Amino acid sequence: MPSVEASGLRREFKAKDAPVVALDGVTLKVGQGEVFGVLGPNGAGKTTMIRILSTLLLPTGGWAKVMGHDVEHEPEKVRKVINMASGAEKAGYDFISAKRNLWFFSQLYGIPSEKAEKKIAELSETLGLTKYLDRKFYALSTGYRQRATIARAFVNDPRVVFLDEPTIGLDVMTARSIREFLQGEARRNGRTIILASHNMAEVDAICDRVAIIDKGRILAEGTPEELKRSLGVPALVMEVSPPREGFETLSRIAGVKGFTSSTEEERGLCTVQVVVENDAAARAAEDAIRSEGLKVVASWRKQATLEEVFVALVGQGFKEREEEGAG
Amino acid sequence: MKARALVRLWSIFGEPLWIVVSMGFPVLSSLAFFLLYYSMGAVSYVGFAVLGGVMVSFWGNVLWSMASQFNWDKQEGLFEIYLTSPASISAILIGMSVGGIIGTLPSAAIVTAFGWTLISVLQLPVPVVGSWLAVALTFALTLASLYAMGMTLSSLYLVYGREAESMNNVLQEPVSLLSGMYFPSVGTFSPFPSAVQIVASLIPLTIGMNALRLALFSTPGADTLALVFPSLAILAAMAVVFMAVSAYSLKALEYKGRKDGTISVRIR
C-alpha cells in the first residue's frame, strides 16, 4: 500500500472573475520511507497539494489517500498518522519554553507524558536543540525556532510528514542539519516525507523522487538523476556583454527547450543559460547571440540540474514564472 | 484538555506585563466605583463595586484570551496544527477555559482582598452571607456559562480575520454596561427600560451578576438558595446551549474552512 496516493486531484478557488485552478488533475503514488519532493515556483500548487493531503483543504475533484485513508471523508483517521510543518508558521506560544511547547503539541496526539518527554529529548539531541529547550519560544533565533518546528512535526512518530518549505530563510548550516535529519528519519524510521519546496538544490540533495509542478499540473516525475538524464546533453551557459533584457530569439531556434537570463550589473554582463536538445542547438544559440551584435565573453557547458529540467519543461526559469504569475 | 489548560497558565504567568495589567486594571475600576458609592453615601452598594471588579477580570479573560485565541492561532499558523491533529477542538477550548479560570483567580482574589481591606479600614457594614453554598454554586455556574459563551465566540471569530479584535472592543464595554458589572442592570433597581433589560438578560454575565448579588448581599435570614435557584437553572441551561453551539459551529466552520480554503491565514 502506498503511503500517499492521489488521482486526478483538483482544487479550484473562487475568484471575482473566474475560478482559479490551483491544482489540476494531480496523480501520484509515494511509497513508505520515501522522501518525495514537490518542486515548483511560487504559486505552482505545492502548498495547495500539501494542504489537501494534510486534511486542511477539500479537493474539488479527484481523490487522495494517506496510509489508505481518504483525506476528504476520513480526516480523523488521516490525522492520527500524519504531521506537518511549514517554514512560514510560528509554531509555538511565545511565553512558554520550547520544551513545554513541544510537550503541549505531543499531547494533541495523546502521547503519555513520559514517552513524550523521551521523544522530545531524542529529537532535540538529533536537531541540536537541547541547549535551547528551556528558552522561551520568542527568545529563540529563527534557526532554532525552525528546528523546534521540525521537532514538533516528528513528536508523534507520524507515518507521513508534510513539510512546506521547511528551510526557508535559514542559514546554510541550519538548513543542512535539518536536511540530514529528514533523510535520517526516512531511512531509519521508514517515515514518508513529502517536501514541497522551490529550493532546487535542497530537493536534489535529499529527495528520492521528485515531481515537478507548474500551474497545478505535474509536468515530470522521477528520481533527480532520471529527470536530469532526460535532458540528454549539458546546458549551455554564456556570459554576454553588454547586459540587456530579452533573448526571445533563442526560443525560435530548433532544439532549444528554454532559457533563463540574469543580469550582473557590477560585472557589466548578462548570464544566459540555455537548455538544449543537442550540441547543434547549443552552437546555434551562441551564433544567434553574436548575430545580435552582442559579445559572448565566455561560454561553457554545465551538468544539468533540476532547474534546467524545469526550464526544459516550461521554457522559463522559476524567477520568470513567478514574475509572469505576479504580472 | 489538561495540556491546553497548562499552556494557558504558563502563558499568563510567563508574561510579567500581562500579570500587572490583568491584576491591576480590575482593582482600579473597582476602586473607582467603590469611591463613587462611598462618596454618595451609598455604603451598602460598595460590595457591588468589589464584586464587579472580580467579575470584570473573568469577562476580560473570556474576551481577550478565549474569544480571540483561535483567531490569533489562525493568524500565526497554530490553528492548522490543531486541525491536523486528532485532538478534539472542543476539548482544547475547554482546556483553555479551565486554564483561564485558574489563571484569573489570583486577579479576582486581589480585588476581593483590596475591597475587604477598604471596607475594614473605612469601617463599612460587612455583608452577611446567608449561604456560601449558594454563592459557590452561583459563581461556578456563572463562570461555566460565561466561558461557554467565550467558546462560542471563539468559534464564531474564526470567520473573521483581524476584525476579531475590533469585535472584542465593540463587545467589551457594552456587555460590561448591560450585564450590570457595578450596578443592578435588571430588576427593580435597574436604570434601564424593560426592553434593554430583556436584551441584557440574554447575556450570562447579567444573570450571573444578579444572582451573585442576591447570594452575597441578600437580607439576613432569607432562603438564599431558593432565591437564586431560577438563576442557577438559567445559567446551567445557558452553559449547555453555548457549549453545544460552540461544538456545532466549530464543526461547521472547520468544514467551511476546508471547503473555501480559509483555515490558513498567517501574518508571517
Side-chain angles (χ1 to χ4, degrees), chain A residues 16-31:
Chain A
K16 262 187 187 170
D17 305 327
V20 175
V21 180
L23 216 53
D24 191 6
V26 164
T27 297
L28 56 85
K29 263 186 195 172
V30 184

mmCIF file with all atom_site columns, all heavy atoms in Angstrom, chain A residues 16-31:
data_model
loop_
_atom_site.group_PDB
_atom_site.id
_atom_site.type_symbol
_atom_site.label_atom_id
_atom_site.label_alt_id
_atom_site.label_comp_id
_atom_site.label_asym_id
_atom_site.label_entity_id
_atom_site.label_seq_id
_atom_site.pdbx_PDB_ins_code
_atom_site.Cartn_x
_atom_site.Cartn_y
_atom_site.Cartn_z
_atom_site.occupancy
_atom_site.B_iso_or_equiv
_atom_site.pdbx_formal_charge
_atom_site.auth_seq_id
_atom_site.auth_comp_id
_atom_site.auth_asym_id
_atom_site.auth_atom_id
_atom_site.pdbx_PDB_model_num
ATOM 1   N N   . LYS A 1 16 ? -13.083 36.599 -8.242  1.00 0.00 ? 16 LYS A N   1
ATOM 2   C CA  . LYS A 1 16 ? -14.057 37.564 -8.760  1.00 0.00 ? 16 LYS A CA  1
ATOM 3   C C   . LYS A 1 16 ? -14.482 37.246 -10.187 1.00 0.00 ? 16 LYS A C   1
ATOM 4   O O   . LYS A 1 16 ? -15.656 37.115 -10.490 1.00 0.00 ? 16 LYS A O   1
ATOM 5   C CB  . LYS A 1 16 ? -13.446 38.974 -8.706  1.00 0.00 ? 16 LYS A CB  1
ATOM 6   C CG  . LYS A 1 16 ? -13.887 39.760 -7.481  1.00 0.00 ? 16 LYS A CG  1
ATOM 7   C CD  . LYS A 1 16 ? -13.401 41.181 -7.575  1.00 0.00 ? 16 LYS A CD  1
ATOM 8   C CE  . LYS A 1 16 ? -13.679 41.928 -6.279  1.00 0.00 ? 16 LYS A CE  1
ATOM 9   N NZ  . LYS A 1 16 ? -13.012 43.226 -6.249  1.00 0.00 ? 16 LYS A NZ  1
ATOM 10  N N   . ASP A 1 17 ? -13.477 37.136 -11.073 1.00 0.00 ? 17 ASP A N   1
ATOM 11  C CA  . ASP A 1 17 ? -13.786 36.961 -12.491 1.00 0.00 ? 17 ASP A CA  1
ATOM 12  C C   . ASP A 1 17 ? -14.123 35.508 -12.833 1.00 0.00 ? 17 ASP A C   1
ATOM 13  O O   . ASP A 1 17 ? -15.189 35.208 -13.343 1.00 0.00 ? 17 ASP A O   1
ATOM 14  C CB  . ASP A 1 17 ? -12.605 37.453 -13.344 1.00 0.00 ? 17 ASP A CB  1
ATOM 15  C CG  . ASP A 1 17 ? -12.256 38.892 -12.992 1.00 0.00 ? 17 ASP A CG  1
ATOM 16  O OD1 . ASP A 1 17 ? -13.206 39.635 -12.658 1.00 0.00 ? 17 ASP A OD1 1
ATOM 17  O OD2 . ASP A 1 17 ? -11.072 39.252 -13.042 1.00 0.00 ? 17 ASP A OD2 1
ATOM 18  N N   . ALA A 1 18 ? -13.162 34.622 -12.567 1.00 0.00 ? 18 ALA A N   1
ATOM 19  C CA  . ALA A 1 18 ? -13.360 33.209 -12.884 1.00 0.00 ? 18 ALA A CA  1
ATOM 20  C C   . ALA A 1 18 ? -12.633 32.374 -11.846 1.00 0.00 ? 18 ALA A C   1
ATOM 21  O O   . ALA A 1 18 ? -11.703 32.865 -11.208 1.00 0.00 ? 18 ALA A O   1
ATOM 22  C CB  . ALA A 1 18 ? -12.784 32.943 -14.276 1.00 0.00 ? 18 ALA A CB  1
ATOM 23  N N   . PRO A 1 19 ? -13.058 31.118 -11.645 1.00 0.00 ? 19 PRO A N   1
ATOM 24  C CA  . PRO A 1 19 ? -12.370 30.302 -10.643 1.00 0.00 ? 19 PRO A CA  1
ATOM 25  C C   . PRO A 1 19 ? -10.888 30.121 -10.983 1.00 0.00 ? 19 PRO A C   1
ATOM 26  O O   . PRO A 1 19 ? -10.518 30.022 -12.151 1.00 0.00 ? 19 PRO A O   1
ATOM 27  C CB  . PRO A 1 19 ? -13.094 28.957 -10.725 1.00 0.00 ? 19 PRO A CB  1
ATOM 28  C CG  . PRO A 1 19 ? -14.304 29.178 -11.524 1.00 0.00 ? 19 PRO A CG  1
ATOM 29  C CD  . PRO A 1 19 ? -14.104 30.394 -12.336 1.00 0.00 ? 19 PRO A CD  1
ATOM 30  N N   . VAL A 1 20 ? -10.069 30.128 -9.937  1.00 0.00 ? 20 VAL A N   1
ATOM 31  C CA  . VAL A 1 20 ? -8.630  29.926 -10.137 1.00 0.00 ? 20 VAL A CA  1
ATOM 32  C C   . VAL A 1 20 ? -8.328  28.442 -9.886  1.00 0.00 ? 20 VAL A C   1
ATOM 33  O O   . VAL A 1 20 ? -8.698  27.897 -8.848  1.00 0.00 ? 20 VAL A O   1
ATOM 34  C CB  . VAL A 1 20 ? -7.826  30.792 -9.140  1.00 0.00 ? 20 VAL A CB  1
ATOM 35  C CG1 . VAL A 1 20 ? -6.328  30.505 -9.253  1.00 0.00 ? 20 VAL A CG1 1
ATOM 36  C CG2 . VAL A 1 20 ? -8.119  32.254 -9.367  1.00 0.00 ? 20 VAL A CG2 1
ATOM 37  N N   . VAL A 1 21 ? -7.698  27.811 -10.860 1.00 0.00 ? 21 VAL A N   1
ATOM 38  C CA  . VAL A 1 21 ? -7.362  26.396 -10.702 1.00 0.00 ? 21 VAL A CA  1
ATOM 39  C C   . VAL A 1 21 ? -5.968  26.308 -10.078 1.00 0.00 ? 21 VAL A C   1
ATOM 40  O O   . VAL A 1 21 ? -4.969  26.642 -10.698 1.00 0.00 ? 21 VAL A O   1
ATOM 41  C CB  . VAL A 1 21 ? -7.391  25.663 -12.060 1.00 0.00 ? 21 VAL A CB  1
ATOM 42  C CG1 . VAL A 1 21 ? -7.043  24.187 -11.870 1.00 0.00 ? 21 VAL A CG1 1
ATOM 43  C CG2 . VAL A 1 21 ? -8.762  25.806 -12.699 1.00 0.00 ? 21 VAL A CG2 1
ATOM 44  N N   . ALA A 1 22 ? -5.925  25.860 -8.825  1.00 0.00 ? 22 ALA A N   1
ATOM 45  C CA  . ALA A 1 22 ? -4.634  25.767 -8.128  1.00 0.00 ? 22 ALA A CA  1
ATOM 46  C C   . ALA A 1 22 ? -4.003  24.397 -8.319  1.00 0.00 ? 22 ALA A C   1
ATOM 47  O O   . ALA A 1 22 ? -2.784  24.256 -8.288  1.00 0.00 ? 22 ALA A O   1
ATOM 48  C CB  . ALA A 1 22 ? -4.817  26.049 -6.644  1.00 0.00 ? 22 ALA A CB  1
ATOM 49  N N   . LEU A 1 23 ? -4.843  23.398 -8.489  1.00 0.00 ? 23 LEU A N   1
ATOM 50  C CA  . LEU A 1 23 ? -4.347  22.039 -8.696  1.00 0.00 ? 23 LEU A CA  1
ATOM 51  C C   . LEU A 1 23 ? -5.214  21.418 -9.785  1.00 0.00 ? 23 LEU A C   1
ATOM 52  O O   . LEU A 1 23 ? -6.434  21.469 -9.713  1.00 0.00 ? 23 LEU A O   1
ATOM 53  C CB  . LEU A 1 23 ? -4.500  21.250 -7.377  1.00 0.00 ? 23 LEU A CB  1
ATOM 54  C CG  . LEU A 1 23 ? -3.425  20.245 -7.014  1.00 0.00 ? 23 LEU A CG  1
ATOM 55  C CD1 . LEU A 1 23 ? -2.044  20.878 -7.043  1.00 0.00 ? 23 LEU A CD1 1
ATOM 56  C CD2 . LEU A 1 23 ? -3.699  19.676 -5.636  1.00 0.00 ? 23 LEU A CD2 1
ATOM 57  N N   . ASP A 1 24 ? -4.548  20.845 -10.760 1.00 0.00 ? 24 ASP A N   1
ATOM 58  C CA  . ASP A 1 24 ? -5.299  20.448 -11.956 1.00 0.00 ? 24 ASP A CA  1
ATOM 59  C C   . ASP A 1 24 ? -5.012  18.992 -12.339 1.00 0.00 ? 24 ASP A C   1
ATOM 60  O O   . ASP A 1 24 ? -4.160  18.701 -13.169 1.00 0.00 ? 24 ASP A O   1
ATOM 61  C CB  . ASP A 1 24 ? -4.892  21.402 -13.097 1.00 0.00 ? 24 ASP A CB  1
ATOM 62  C CG  . ASP A 1 24 ? -5.800  21.256 -14.301 1.00 0.00 ? 24 ASP A CG  1
ATOM 63  O OD1 . ASP A 1 24 ? -6.785  20.512 -14.217 1.00 0.00 ? 24 ASP A OD1 1
ATOM 64  O OD2 . ASP A 1 24 ? -5.503  21.895 -15.333 1.00 0.00 ? 24 ASP A OD2 1
ATOM 65  N N   . GLY A 1 25 ? -5.674  18.079 -11.676 1.00 0.00 ? 25 GLY A N   1
ATOM 66  C CA  . GLY A 1 25 ? -5.563  16.669 -12.042 1.00 0.00 ? 25 GLY A CA  1
ATOM 67  C C   . GLY A 1 25 ? -4.250  16.010 -11.663 1.00 0.00 ? 25 GLY A C   1
ATOM 68  O O   . GLY A 1 25 ? -3.617  15.342 -12.479 1.00 0.00 ? 25 GLY A O   1
ATOM 69  N N   . VAL A 1 26 ? -3.869  16.182 -10.396 1.00 0.00 ? 26 VAL A N   1
ATOM 70  C CA  . VAL A 1 26 ? -2.592  15.595 -9.943  1.00 0.00 ? 26 VAL A CA  1
ATOM 71  C C   . VAL A 1 26 ? -2.782  14.119 -9.575  1.00 0.00 ? 26 VAL A C   1
ATOM 72  O O   . VAL A 1 26 ? -3.688  13.768 -8.825  1.00 0.00 ? 26 VAL A O   1
ATOM 73  C CB  . VAL A 1 26 ? -2.039  16.386 -8.737  1.00 0.00 ? 26 VAL A CB  1
ATOM 74  C CG1 . VAL A 1 26 ? -0.963  15.591 -8.005  1.00 0.00 ? 26 VAL A CG1 1
ATOM 75  C CG2 . VAL A 1 26 ? -1.492  17.722 -9.198  1.00 0.00 ? 26 VAL A CG2 1
ATOM 76  N N   . THR A 1 27 ? -1.926  13.297 -10.126 1.00 0.00 ? 27 THR A N   1
ATOM 77  C CA  . THR A 1 27 ? -1.945  11.866 -9.813  1.00 0.00 ? 27 THR A CA  1
ATOM 78  C C   . THR A 1 27 ? -0.549  11.477 -9.335  1.00 0.00 ? 27 THR A C   1
ATOM 79  O O   . THR A 1 27 ? 0.440   11.809 -9.997  1.00 0.00 ? 27 THR A O   1
ATOM 80  C CB  . THR A 1 27 ? -2.335  11.049 -11.062 1.00 0.00 ? 27 THR A CB  1
ATOM 81  O OG1 . THR A 1 27 ? -3.682  11.422 -11.424 1.00 0.00 ? 27 THR A OG1 1
ATOM 82  C CG2 . THR A 1 27 ? -2.273  9.557  -10.803 1.00 0.00 ? 27 THR A CG2 1
ATOM 83  N N   . LEU A 1 28 ? -0.463  10.826 -8.198  1.00 0.00 ? 28 LEU A N   1
ATOM 84  C CA  . LEU A 1 28 ? 0.863   10.399 -7.706  1.00 0.00 ? 28 LEU A CA  1
ATOM 85  C C   . LEU A 1 28 ? 0.733   9.251  -6.710  1.00 0.00 ? 28 LEU A C   1
ATOM 86  O O   . LEU A 1 28 ? -0.334  8.998  -6.162  1.00 0.00 ? 28 LEU A O   1
ATOM 87  C CB  . LEU A 1 28 ? 1.628   11.572 -7.076  1.00 0.00 ? 28 LEU A CB  1
ATOM 88  C CG  . LEU A 1 28 ? 1.007   12.354 -5.939  1.00 0.00 ? 28 LEU A CG  1
ATOM 89  C CD1 . LEU A 1 28 ? 1.258   11.693 -4.588  1.00 0.00 ? 28 LEU A CD1 1
ATOM 90  C CD2 . LEU A 1 28 ? 1.626   13.745 -5.897  1.00 0.00 ? 28 LEU A CD2 1
ATOM 91  N N   . LYS A 1 29 ? 1.856   8.574  -6.547  1.00 0.00 ? 29 LYS A N   1
ATOM 92  C CA  . LYS A 1 29 ? 1.947   7.491  -5.555  1.00 0.00 ? 29 LYS A CA  1
ATOM 93  C C   . LYS A 1 29 ? 3.292   7.637  -4.864  1.00 0.00 ? 29 LYS A C   1
ATOM 94  O O   . LYS A 1 29 ? 4.319   7.754  -5.531  1.00 0.00 ? 29 LYS A O   1
ATOM 95  C CB  . LYS A 1 29 ? 1.921   6.136  -6.259  1.00 0.00 ? 29 LYS A CB  1
ATOM 96  C CG  . LYS A 1 29 ? 0.574   5.469  -6.300  1.00 0.00 ? 29 LYS A CG  1
ATOM 97  C CD  . LYS A 1 29 ? 0.685   4.086  -6.887  1.00 0.00 ? 29 LYS A CD  1
ATOM 98  C CE  . LYS A 1 29 ? -0.710  3.604  -7.258  1.00 0.00 ? 29 LYS A CE  1
ATOM 99  N NZ  . LYS A 1 29 ? -0.691  2.369  -8.004  1.00 0.00 ? 29 LYS A NZ  1
ATOM 100 N N   . VAL A 1 30 ? 3.268   7.642  -3.535  1.00 0.00 ? 30 VAL A N   1
ATOM 101 C CA  . VAL A 1 30 ? 4.528   7.755  -2.792  1.00 0.00 ? 30 VAL A CA  1
ATOM 102 C C   . VAL A 1 30 ? 4.611   6.573  -1.833  1.00 0.00 ? 30 VAL A C   1
ATOM 103 O O   . VAL A 1 30 ? 3.659   6.299  -1.096  1.00 0.00 ? 30 VAL A O   1
ATOM 104 C CB  . VAL A 1 30 ? 4.594   9.090  -2.004  1.00 0.00 ? 30 VAL A CB  1
ATOM 105 C CG1 . VAL A 1 30 ? 5.944   9.239  -1.317  1.00 0.00 ? 30 VAL A CG1 1
ATOM 106 C CG2 . VAL A 1 30 ? 4.344   10.276 -2.921  1.00 0.00 ? 30 VAL A CG2 1
ATOM 107 N N   . GLY A 1 31 ? 5.740   5.880  -1.874  1.00 0.00 ? 31 GLY A N   1
ATOM 108 C CA  . GLY A 1 31 ? 5.898   4.680  -1.057  1.00 0.00 ? 31 GLY A CA  1
ATOM 109 C C   . GLY A 1 31 ? 6.417   4.978  0.341   1.00 0.00 ? 31 GLY A C   1
ATOM 110 O O   . GLY A 1 31 ? 6.871   6.093  0.641   1.00 0.00 ? 31 GLY A O   1
#
